[in-house]
Amino acid sequence: MSLTYIAMDELSYTVVNGLLAVFNILANLFFAFCLFCPPRGRDGLKQPVKLLLGFLVCCTTIFLVSLITSECLWLLSESKESTYVDAFVAFAAFTSMSTSVWLNFFYYTQIVPAQRALFIWVKRNIKIIIYWGLFVDRALFLFDLASDIYYVTITEGNDNITYTSTNDTVSDSTDGLFYTVKVCFYSKVFYMFFCLCVMVGSSCATVCYLHRHMKRMKETGSTFFSLRLHSQMRVTITGILQGILYFLCALWILTDIFINIYPSSIKFDYNTYYTVISLYMFGTTVNLGIGQSVFRERAADIWLKAQQAARSLKLCG
């Protein structure tokens, strides 16, 4: 079976990811400013939305900084030090993706009325569920990160053991740590698949509910121009876009994982793998800027003040 190796040259990788990183870092710094410094006279975001957005901004920033650091280390020394940073890149990417799933699920519980007993219980206890969900998935990814770093540390220099940073798999080892890493790896894959199901399910359920709701309003002659309905539609549209982004990125990661585990005629290199995730982060950042009113309103305030300052300068001149 002939092998097709799909690679991205260093120049293209540096240019594309460099531009994406600059935009994402600046945008996420602005998002962090909006979250932690709300305008005077306005109530800040309520929990758990503020926590979820904070995690999303933090994880995206860690991903970008780790990716830049990894590339710099590789270009300067081409040593295994970049492997440790690669582990942080993967950790930040997975935690950012799972946070977007929890945010989408929270909005689903706030928009779609609960009818069955299980969903009524979930809606009543949504804050506790999200807090525990965030704690469990952070613990899972942190343990996976620690086991990967420890394994690479103790096996460095041993030619009989190989490590693939792209999908965090290890091979040719018989000690207990090998099986620990394998269990973490497959747990992470299963959790990603679970998050994918939650993201797709909650997005579809929200769309179906709003479609039925608007259809009923049309039949009864009610107006569509209500602030609550517009807000729900905006959240739903951004949730659908985020769901599409998550689906494509998760499908890419799972595909890359399986073609590295099982025999395949196609292989992707490190540059291509992380460029796709960088594009996902870029889409998430744009989606946050459009979908979250706290960011839009603050940007509008800054733009208005900038225009007023420009007019004042013209009058003074």
Side-chain angles (χ1 to χ4, degrees), residues 94-161:
F94 292 137
T95 50
S96 176
M97 292 177 67
S98 65
T99 302
S100 67
V101 174
W102 285 110
L103 182 64
N104 204 58
F105 180 72
F106 173 76
Y107 283 131
Y108 155 74
T109 61
Q110 301 306 298
I111 294 175
V112 180
Q115 296 179 347
R116 297 184 179 181
L118 176 61
F119 292 104
I120 293 173
W121 179 85
V122 169
K123 190 167 186 175
R124 288 177 179 174
N125 300 276
I126 186 61
K127 288 185 179 181
I128 297 176
I129 291 173
I130 287 179
Y131 293 151
W132 274 105
L134 290 173
F135 173 77
V136 170
D137 84 14
R138 267 58 184 171
L140 170 64
F141 291 133
L142 278 172
F143 188 76
D144 177 71
L145 172 67
S147 62
D148 281 345
I149 291 177
Y150 182 60
Y151 188 87
V152 174
T153 301
I154 66 171
T155 58
E156 186 174 358
N158 190 339
D159 295 333
N160 294 324
I161 299 175

Side-chain angles (χ1 to χ4, degrees), residues 68 108 227 246 269:
I68 295 171
Y108 155 74
L227 184 62
Y246 184 91
D269 70 334

Side-chain angles (χ1 to χ4, degrees), residues 111 206-207 209-218 222-237:
I111 294 175
T206 306
V207 171
Y209 164 74
L210 283 181
H211 175 71
R212 292 195 303 268
H213 181 60
M214 294 176 67
K215 188 176 180 180
R216 286 196 300 267
M217 292 180 68
K218 185 177 180 179
S222 303
T223 178
F224 291 100
F225 297 99
S226 68
L227 184 62
R228 179 179 177 82
L229 182 60
H230 279 194
S231 176
Q232 290 179 345
M233 289 179 63
R234 186 182 64 251
V235 169
T236 302
I237 292 171

